[in-house]
Amino acid sequence: MALSRRTFSALAGSTALGFALGGSGGPGAPSAYAARGVPTGPAPAPPTADGQRHTIGWDNYSLVVDGRRLVLWSGEMHPFRLPSPSLWRDILQKMRAHGYNAVSIYVSWNYHSPAPGHYDFSGIRDLDLFLRMATETGLYVVLRPGPYINAEIDGGGFPGWLTATKGTARTADPTYLAYADEWLTAVNRIARRHLFTEGTGTILLYQIENEYDAHANEPAGRDYMSHLYRKVRADGIDVPLFHNDKGRNGYWIPGSFDTGAERDGWLYGFDGYPSPSQPPPDWGHFGIGGLKGGATASPRTPGFVPEFGGGWFDPWGGVWFDGKGYAESRRTRDAAYERRFYLTNLANGITLHNVYMTFGGTSWGWLPAPVVYTSYDYGAAIDEGRKVTEKIAPMHELGHLLQRVPDFAKLDRAADVHADGLKVYHLTNPDTEAHVYVVRNDGTEEVTSRVPTAAGDLELTVPAHDARLLTTGLSLGGRKLRYCTAQPMMCLTAGRQDIAVFTGRTGEMAHLVLECPSEPYVTRLDAEAAWVYDRNALHVNVPLGKGGLTRVLVERGESETPLLLLFADHATAVRLFPYDTPSGSLLVYGPALLRHAELSGGTVGLTGDLVEQTGLEVWGPRGIESVEWNGRRVPTRLALSKSLVAETLLPGAPEVRLPELGGWRMRTENPEAGPNFDDSRWQAADRTSSFSTTAVPKGRPVLFADDYGFHYGDVWYRGAFTDSAAVEEVSLAYSTGTQGLLMAWLDGEPLGTHRMPVPDDSTVRKGSWADTAVFPVREQLRGPGRHVLSVLVRRMQHDQDGKALDTHKVARGLTAVTFKGASPEVSWRIQGERAADPVRGPQNNGGLFGEREGWHLPGFPDRDWKSVTFPRAERRQGVTWYRTSFRLAVPADVDASVGLVLEDDPYRSYRAQIFLNGWNMGQYINDVGPQHTFVLPNGILRTRGTNTLALAVLSELTTLSGPGQVRLTLLGSAAGGVPVTPVLSPGR
């Protein structure tokens, strides 16, 4: 298949919807299915914006890019969950260095659209900038703009204003489609400038909709998908399109809906988040087959998992992880989980593999859907503070393997193999006759067993709940591997020698056998290795991890090209970085991260990160004589392995000291509770109908916040009435997301606070909660004359619309107000957030008085506020603000990730919005948790300058309120990093 702009133009024809696209044909463009004849060979070069046209095809094995097979090893990150564009490059470079060749991103409609017809792609929303960075990093992009994305984000990505519109979302309703088309037009205007097919960027694949299973077998659903398909094509997007089938239903396979004249432009994909407590599922070659079998639902396209669990999200209260938060998610879905589950996917023919998430980030401000709290760390391989965790090792090893050993792009199921106590998958490459074995232990005890292979029975030990990859018959440059009990990680050519890397557990004995018809000359470069030549084979034994990297040089024999064998345990392997340059490939060993490499004359210029003191070793093209690290010359010597080795150790990251937080100032707010507050500029809440799915009480006004244009954060109500002499109780019906809260006052006197319950295992996915707060009216508050009922509702955002039932339109805020003992006529006014912050966006602010007055902003004059110290212990109902400033002096060449920690007596019922330099970095709920640490991303955080920190604390009347301890913490640091541009000038 070849989908290029020229193909698009030649084959587009008029239809009822405007265009019918032919996705194959054209000069030099092979059919999608002609890829079956593509032999095993080197993968395509890393993608660039080279100005050349490219073709994208596939068969049942893999994608085929420009005639070469490509295994897609992708990681998910969301630019909207890292609101500092400079740091996007940091994550992208870490992904590339650790083996990924693609990045998958959602583009969230609500993040870019504060109002109908308004689309903001500037600043932190600069999609064009992100796509340029991905291209510069050498990563393919899988673009996923919805319109619906889910993603545990407010409304599943639908903008707040869509809740107050007529159309039925996720159907062919013309009102909804008009809005969705407008959104896609805005996204595609940018995306089409970055298409890999056109040589202008690296967008390789494009997803329409997400997990759409509600109307899959109905005309409304098929018409909807057809409309989106044709819309995207009409906008000039000519790369393959796909959908992410939720839970392997066989929905939206090729041919299941009308794609016009185009037949070969659609891939089937499905997602899966299997539990670590169950054996890995077979979603392909070894599974149940048919439409419900995963990859087998579409036998003519390659196995494609647009989302496979790289962790799991955590709800308010942390019931899924016993209140331990994302550390427990990372523990239960650890590196062994990745090996066991991802190798099973590979065995089942899945060659397009995206890990959700690889970097989770932060659902800052009012971005999170009700089901999650602020942190979206996800237990991912790169944590929320951008620190690479131990989970990166399998991703690093497998990613580089799939890019640099081409046999894995074309595998067939082979004869069944059995080993006592182990599950074995056996596959072969029909072109090279290499054999691949995935050997898995699903038990609770380590198992040692003999595994029958094409090279004979091999004894393997597999730890409990882990897996190993075994190969026989692989080509290692000009030589042939008989077998190795350690896992291959890569094979590349650097200069005049081939280099092959093998990896495994620390302490494991690797046994490698190389076919050698003629006796080679072998040099043991490290004492740990042992070797012997016997009966046309070279045997090498190495205890992995002892002394770091172990090197064995094999020369002469049947090949004139030397072969350098490198053996590493997992901790060592993640410090081996291949890098391709126009002059040839490099392999760098030692640093925590290699970001970039380039050759200038005889000098290799390297940039990257150092955490601890380390050595440096570089293999590269002929003629390299010197090495620079982060711009500084490194004295080196030429080693026997034909590498340049640093003569001294490179220093680690210097100590980073953080200040204590003090100098706090305090001011109480919520004047809205008082009877004499001027609400004349507030909107009158007097509407009588709504497009919400929540019924409007008969004969009463609409009180739903969204109907009055207030979509994010807190909302205030003031109801004026006369004569409360007979009022005994007031009942306030309200609807919120998880952990919503309501506070009420009558004539400035608190009536009480009501909150939604902490979710348990059965309600954790419940996105909309409705209840009625009933407050008695004390006798001293009753009487004739004018009275004001003031209500503050923390809404906790909109439900997602996973079942396409318009659940994002469930009301937020008050829904009905009744009285016992009397029925006064109430005149209601409502106030929420002001116009969207032009830089921080619509999700940054809610309707608190302090937010409307700018109390969260740097430069706000707070000298007349009361000086206080922490911990605090106060009892009041309402909102109290605390502000302070602090200065950091992190060295310019150090990347320090900093967090804010809040801790207090868990009995105390209060919550705090955290504002750093005006940015709403999240919500802390003291008695619910589990989150206590909040990441402060560089760029928003001034690591070399003064910062303003503000806390808006909502205190309940039932307990004493804090804050207790508030402190800064260092989440990680490295010498290196990327240049960081402040997101907003300090004066704003």
Side-chain angles (χ1 to χ4, degrees):
M1 186 194 106
L3 296 172
S4 66
R5 190 171 301 280
R6 181 162 68 178
T7 303
F8 173 87
S9 300
L11 297 176
S14 298
T15 69
L17 291 177
F19 293 97
L21 303 181
S24 60
S31 156
Y33 304 112
R36 286 197 180 101
V38 175
T40 300
T48 63
D50 57 8
Q52 304 296 312
R53 293 178 59 242
H54 298 276
T55 60
I56 308 170
W58 63 78
D59 61 6
N60 58 305
Y61 291 111
S62 71
L63 289 180
V64 176
V65 171
D66 295 333
R68 294 187 177 189
R69 293 196 173 276
L70 174 73
V71 177
L72 197 73
W73 192 246
S74 173
E76 186 88 11
M77 73 163 290
H78 299 151
F80 56 81
R81 285 190 162 111
L82 185 56
S84 178
S86 298
L87 298 183
W88 298 343
R89 190 181 300 275
D90 175 62
I91 299 300
L92 292 171
Q93 289 180 346
K94 284 173 178 171
M95 290 176 64
R96 188 216 60 80
H98 288 299
Y100 297 89
N101 61 3
V103 58
S104 172
I105 65 166
Y106 278 132
V107 189
S108 190
W109 188 356
N110 61 11
Y111 193 64
H112 296 274
S113 183
H118 293 268
Y119 296 95
D120 181 4
F121 288 92
S122 65
I124 61 171
R125 293 167 174 77
D126 193 340
L127 176 62
D128 187 86
L129 174 62
F130 181 89
L131 295 173
R132 293 201 309 271
M133 286 184 179
T135 299
E136 292 161 2
T137 308
L139 293 173
Y140 293 107
V141 174
V142 179
L143 193 68
R144 309 204 291 158
Y148 178 79
I149 64 171
N150 188 285
E152 287 76 57
I153 195 173
D154 177 46
F158 285 153
W161 55 262
L162 195 70
T163 64
T165 62
K166 179 181 180 181
T168 302
R170 307 186 76 188
T171 70
D173 181 293
T175 302
Y176 166 73
L177 287 182
Y179 290 127
D181 282 356
E182 194 175 73
W183 161 242
L184 291 175
T185 296
V187 173
N188 293 340
R189 185 179 295 119
I190 297 169
R192 67 175 174 243
R193 300 199 294 263
H194 298 273
L195 298 174
F196 180 68
T197 45
E198 305 301 317
T200 55
T202 58
I203 295 176
L204 186 77
L205 303 172
Y206 182 112
Q207 178 178 313
I208 61 174
E209 250 288 343
N210 185 60
E211 297 182 330
Y212 185 55
D213 61 356
H215 306 294
N217 296 315
E218 303 169 16
R222 291 192 291 270
D223 290 348
Y224 174 47
M225 291 293 283
S226 179
H227 176 94
L228 294 179
Y229 191 102
R230 296 180 185 220
K231 164 62 180 171
V232 171
R233 285 290 187 238
D235 283 348
I237 305 302
D238 63 4
V239 299
L241 308 183
F242 71 95
H243 176 76
N244 178 34
D245 182 17
K246 182 180 181 180
R248 302 156 311 284
N249 296 297
Y251 295 152
W252 314 118
I253 60 175
S256 61
F257 67 101
D258 184 11
T259 57
E262 183 174 272
R263 294 291 179 265
D264 297 335
W266 182 255
L267 287 165
Y268 173 70
F270 61 92
D271 68 12
Y273 293 85
S275 167
S277 64
Q278 300 296 321
D282 291 318
W283 289 335
H285 292 323
F286 295 85
I288 61 173
L291 287 176
K292 302 288 186 180
T296 58
S298 180
R300 298 180 70 196
T301 60
F304 184 8
V305 183
E307 293 181 23
F308 194 90
W312 190 241
F313 65 84
D314 197 26
W316 284 107
V319 64
W320 276 338
F321 297 114
D322 298 323
K324 299 175 183 177
Y326 284 115
E328 186 68 3
S329 176
R330 187 169 286 109
R331 187 192 69 80
T332 56
R333 291 165 173 83
D334 60 2
Y337 171 93
E338 293 176 317
R339 283 188 291 271
R340 198 158 57 111
F341 283 74
Y342 301 169
L343 285 173
T344 299
N345 286 347
L346 180 64
N348 276 276
I350 294 169
T351 57
L352 286 80
H353 194 280
N354 181 55
V355 177
Y356 188 106
M357 301 291 296
T358 290
F359 169 75
T362 305
S363 299
W364 60 280
W366 295 109
L367 280 173
V371 72
V372 292
Y373 47 89
T374 298
S375 175
Y376 200 68
D377 177 279
Y378 217 80
I382 304 174
D383 70 18
E384 186 182 3
R386 300 180 290 110
K387 183 179 178 181
V388 171
T389 71
E390 291 183 356
K391 287 182 63 170
I392 206 67
M395 309 310 302
H396 182 99
E397 295 164 4
L398 287 171
H400 289 305
L401 173 74
L402 297 174
Q403 291 184 56
R404 296 183 181 274
V405 180
D407 303 69
F408 291 89
K410 191 176 183 181
L411 293 175
D412 290 321
R413 180 174 178 174
D416 289 347
V417 169
H418 302 281
D420 291 344
L422 298 172
K423 171 77 172 179
V424 183
Y425 299 88
H426 178 204
L427 303 107
T428 59
N429 183 296
D431 300 329
T432 67
E433 299 183 351
H435 290 254
V436 173
Y437 304 85
V438 172
V439 186
R440 201 178 76 210
N441 180 1
D442 295 328
T444 58
E445 301 291 334
E446 182 177 275
V447 171
T448 298
S449 186
R450 298 195 69 81
V451 179
T453 77
D457 289 358
L458 300 180
E459 184 173 273
L460 287 182
T461 298
V462 185
H465 292 132
D466 209 331
R468 296 180 59 176
L469 179 66
L470 179 68
T471 56
T472 67
L474 281 182
S475 294
L476 303 180
R479 304 174 192 268
K480 181 74 73 172
L481 176 73
R482 183 180 294 177
Y483 69 84
C484 183
T485 59
Q487 177 176 304
M489 178 177 144
M490 71 178 83
C491 186
L492 57 83
T493 299
R496 289 187 171 180
Q497 70 179 353
D498 298 321
I499 302 176
V501 182
F502 295 85
T503 182
R505 283 191 304 160
T506 303
E508 175 183 313
M509 182 63 72
H511 182 200
L512 178 145
V513 180
L514 199 65
E515 301 281 2
C516 295
S518 301
E519 183 172 1
Y521 183 78
V522 181
T523 306
R524 184 181 64 171
L525 301 177
D526 293 284
E528 292 78 19
W531 65 272
V532 64
Y533 179 75
D534 181 42
R535 288 177 289 185
N536 298 324
L538 173 67
H539 296 253
V540 180
N541 289 324
V542 175
L544 297 177
K546 188 175 182 180
L549 191 66
T550 301
R551 307 155 184 84
V552 176
L553 182 62
V554 182
E555 298 176 287
R556 299 196 287 271
E558 74 280 1
S559 176
E560 293 300 317
T561 304
L563 173 63
L564 179 65
L565 299 172
L566 302 180
F567 297 88
D569 64 355
H570 299 311
T572 302
V574 296
R575 295 164 56 209
L576 279 164
F577 301 99
Y579 200 100
D580 295 315
T581 77
S583 302
S585 297
L586 295 168
L587 182 62
V588 177
Y589 170 56
L593 181 70
L594 177 68
R595 295 185 180 274
H596 182 69
E598 62 181 56
L599 274 63
S600 178
T603 299
V604 179
L606 306 175
T607 59
D609 292 1
L610 302 171
V611 175
E612 299 176 342
Q613 190 180 61
T614 183
L616 179 67
E617 188 169 5
V618 181
W619 292 269
R622 294 173 57 200
I624 62 171
E625 299 173 344
S626 61
V627 175
E628 291 182 350
W629 177 259
N630 288 346
R632 297 180 180 179
R633 181 65 62 92
V634 177
T636 59
R637 59 178 174 82
L638 183 64
L640 291 176
S641 67
K642 300 179 176 61
S643 63
L644 292 178
V645 179
E647 294 181 338
T648 59
L649 296 176
L650 302 182
E655 180 183 4
V656 174
R657 296 182 179 181
L658 301 177
E660 293 185 2
L661 297 177
W664 290 97
R665 293 180 178 273
M666 178 197 79
R667 184 174 178 180
T668 59
E669 58 135 281
N670 51 275
E672 302 94 334
N676 299 320
F677 178 80
D678 181 7
D679 59 18
S680 60
R681 296 186 179 181
W682 289 19
Q683 289 195 41
D686 55 7
R687 299 188 178 187
T688 58
S689 63
S690 173
F691 292 121
S692 171
T693 56
T694 302
V696 178
K698 186 176 181 180
R700 299 184 184 275
V702 174
L703 297 176
F704 313 156
D706 288 296
D707 285 69
Y708 297 96
F710 304 122
H711 306 303
Y712 304 107
D714 300 300
V715 63
W716 273 98
Y717 298 86
R718 282 172 56 85
F721 60 95
T722 57
D723 194 358
S724 67
V727 174
E728 301 173 14
E729 286 181 351
V730 58
S731 296
L732 304 171
Y734 73 117
S735 176
T736 72
T738 306
Q739 276 301 286
L741 173 147
L742 175 149
M743 294 178 173
W745 295 260
L746 183 59
D747 298 333
E749 294 297 319
L751 296 179
T753 297
H754 186 278
R755 62 194 294 182
M756 300 300 179
V758 179
D760 58 23
D761 195 55
S762 65
T763 59
V764 79
R765 290 184 177 274
K766 183 177 177 180
S768 290
W769 298 69
D771 207 342
T772 300
V774 179
F775 298 118
V777 177
R778 301 187 299 277
E779 188 170 347
Q780 57 267 38
L781 296 177
R782 306 175 194 172
R786 179 179 181 273
H787 299 275
V788 177
L789 176 63
S790 299
V791 182
L792 173 64
V793 179
R794 175 148 290 182
R795 297 175 297 172
M796 302 299 284
Q797 294 317 96
H798 307 91
D799 195 3
Q800 299 177 108
D801 191 26
K803 294 297 182 183
L805 298 173
D806 268 357
T807 47
H808 63 291
K809 291 186 175 182
V810 174
R812 290 297 185 258
L814 287 178
T815 55
V817 180
T818 58
F819 298 86
K820 180 180 178 181
S823 300
E825 291 292 327
V826 182
S827 174
W828 286 101
R829 288 188 176 273
I830 184 172
Q831 176 65 55
E833 74 273 18
R834 288 187 170 173
D837 185 308
V839 174
R840 300 174 180 91
Q843 288 88 7
N844 195 72
N845 298 120
L848 294 180
F849 180 85
E851 291 177 290
R852 304 196 309 267
E853 294 296 313
W855 292 9
H856 61 298
L857 296 173
F860 180 83
D862 58 9
R863 290 182 177 274
D864 60 340
W865 289 24
K866 180 181 177 182
S867 294
V868 296
T869 58
F870 289 168
R872 303 287 296 165
E874 294 187 332
R875 188 186 298 273
R876 72 181 296 265
Q877 176 178 290
V879 185
T880 305
W881 284 75
Y882 301 89
R883 285 172 56 94
T884 191
S885 63
F886 61 93
R887 184 172 180 81
L888 298 179
V890 178
D893 59 350
V894 172
D895 178 10
S897 181
V898 179
L900 183 75
V901 179
L902 289 84
E903 294 175 317
D904 206 344
D905 181 344
Y907 174 73
R908 295 183 176 182
S909 298
Y910 70 91
R911 56 187 66 189
Q913 286 296 119
I914 300 166
F915 292 92
L916 175 69
N917 296 326
W919 293 80
N920 183 346
M921 296 316 304
Q923 180 176 193
Y924 168 73
I925 305 184
N926 181 67
D927 57 335
V928 175
Q931 185 173 6
H932 289 269
T933 300
F934 294 79
V935 174
L936 308 177
N938 299 346
I940 291 175
L941 179 72
R942 315 291 182 228
T943 57
R944 293 177 64 79
T946 300
N947 298 273
T948 299
L949 180 63
L951 305 177
V953 177
L954 272 69
S955 306
E956 302 178 27
L957 202 56
T958 54
T959 69
L960 291 172
S961 170
Q965 295 185 34
V966 182
R967 57 184 171 85
L968 299 174
T969 187
L970 185 65
L971 302 174
S973 65
V978 296
V980 177
T981 301
V983 180
L984 191 62
S985 62
R988 296 179 61 187

